[in-house]
Amino acid sequence: PSRGRTMVVMMMMMIPAKGRLLRRVVVVLWYFAASRAVDAFRSTFIGNQAVVVGTQNGHHATLLLRAKGGGNGRTNRVDPRSLIREDDALQSELYARAAPLAPSPELSVEEVAKATVRGLQRRDTPHPMAGIERLYNFATYKCRKAVTARQGADSLERFVQYTETSPAIRPFIACDGVRWLDTPTIIEGTKTRGRLATIPVEIIARKGFRHPSGFERAGADDVKDEYETRRFVLRLEQQRRPPLQDCWLVDELLDVRHVFAGDMGNDAVAN
């Protein structure tokens, strides 16, 4: 990362091998980071993908890697319904009812992430739009702008209005299942920012009869019992200044499939 600014780098590497080679690539990056005196370096694996975060001189960069293909070229597809825990509905209901609506220094990064995601899953528990209200309170100003297309960051009323149709939030609303794919990856704070955390999560939901664009799916009657999965990376930051000092806030909801689309276009998004 260059001095004087914060830069987020999102890259896709086409690696014609199984996930084990992806891990070797990450090992090489570890050695590179050590030779360049990078202050902190963390990696998290999500299936055949890896999220690598490095910091230097108070600035950070995120590198996203994906292994494509491998072996005999076959992909083992898992029925998304099998990924939903039997008690998922109960867990989401309990979290939505018990989770606080406002940040607190006593809340861990895991508690903030689960309260935010489960709250969106049960958006109207314990009262209408409670999940959206919780996200507004637990999101940084940058995150509020990102999920509302810069329209609803300044007030809760406008935030509620513009998250109704937000593509960044829609996958979480009333989803059928949530899977936490790894424990949080923490990068220690510096003199200029608080600690950073990344948490990978998978969302399982029934396919709707419409595409996110609003157009009806071809053969919509045949997809009512089909499910799909979406993977996200939650980035959180611990605040350094009052009035939210030491509180964890959601800084970004990163949809992994769009990051990896690159030159593959809609083919990558569809897969």
Side-chain angles (χ1 to χ4, degrees):
S2 58
R3 296 180 62 88
R5 61 176 179 160
T6 300
M7 177 174 60
V8 178
V9 182
M10 294 180 290
M11 300 177 62
M12 179 180 69
M13 297 185 65
M14 309 306 295
I15 307 173
K18 291 184 177 180
R20 60 177 179 272
L21 181 56
L22 178 64
R23 293 179 180 271
R24 294 175 186 172
V25 172
V26 173
V27 170
V28 172
L29 289 175
W30 273 86
Y31 282 106
F32 176 79
S35 66
R36 293 301 182 94
V38 173
D39 300 327
F41 187 90
R42 298 289 186 274
S43 60
T44 300
F45 289 92
I46 315 173
N48 67 335
Q49 303 161 359
V51 180
V52 181
V53 183
T55 60
Q56 187 176 33
N57 298 326
H59 310 297
H60 66 276
T62 303
L63 178 65
L64 304 176
L65 304 169
R66 183 182 188 184
K68 181 174 178 59
N72 54 15
R74 298 176 181 174
T75 302
N76 294 326
R77 294 190 177 274
V78 178
D79 183 357
R81 285 175 293 185
S82 67
L83 303 176
I84 303 175
R85 292 178 44 146
E86 293 182 0
D87 63 345
D88 192 274
L90 176 61
Q91 290 292 330
S92 62
E93 185 74 17
L94 292 176
Y95 259 104
R97 290 188 178 279
L101 289 172
S104 169
E106 285 75 31
L107 296 175
S108 67
V109 62
E110 295 97 330
E111 290 172 325
V112 171
K114 290 182 178 180
T116 303
V117 173
R118 292 297 192 179
L120 291 175
Q121 186 182 11
R122 294 291 181 267
R123 180 187 59 184
D124 296 324
T125 302
H127 59 262
M129 293 298 174
I132 303 299
E133 178 183 349
R134 182 181 290 110
L135 176 62
Y136 177 84
N137 293 332
F138 277 98
T140 63
Y141 187 77
K142 181 183 79 172
C143 182
R144 294 177 191 171
K145 290 175 64 177
V147 301
T148 60
R150 302 179 180 273
Q151 300 296 316
D154 296 316
S155 69
L156 176 60
E157 292 75 15
R158 288 180 62 84
F159 188 78
V160 170
Q161 176 185 353
Y162 285 98
T163 50
E164 277 289 303
T165 56
S166 171
I169 302 301
R170 190 183 298 114
F172 296 90
I173 304 297
C175 65
D176 294 277
V178 173
R179 292 180 66 225
W180 301 97
L181 302 176
D182 202 349
T183 56
T185 298
I186 306 292
I187 293 180
E188 293 303 318
T190 67
K191 294 181 180 180
T192 58
R193 60 153 179 81
R195 292 192 296 168
L196 303 175
T198 58
I199 307 177
V201 61
E202 187 172 54
I203 303 300
I204 305 103
R206 189 189 304 267
K207 284 186 177 181
F209 70 94
R210 295 186 183 275
H211 291 285
S213 61
F215 289 99
E216 185 173 330
R217 295 180 185 270
D221 294 337
D222 299 329
V223 301
K224 60 182 179 180
D225 291 326
E226 292 185 11
Y227 289 74
E228 60 184 351
T229 61
R230 298 272 291 274
R231 288 181 173 180
F232 293 82
V233 173
L234 274 67
R235 294 187 64 249
L236 301 95
E237 182 174 353
Q238 193 173 38
Q239 305 303 292
R240 298 180 61 251
R241 297 180 178 86
L244 297 177
Q245 186 173 3
D246 295 330
C247 294
W248 284 100
L249 297 183
V250 178
D251 194 50
E252 189 173 11
L253 296 170
L254 184 62
D255 189 334
V256 174
R257 67 174 189 165
H258 290 299
V259 171
F260 289 133
D263 294 334
M264 297 171 65
N266 292 333
D267 291 338
V269 175
N271 296 325

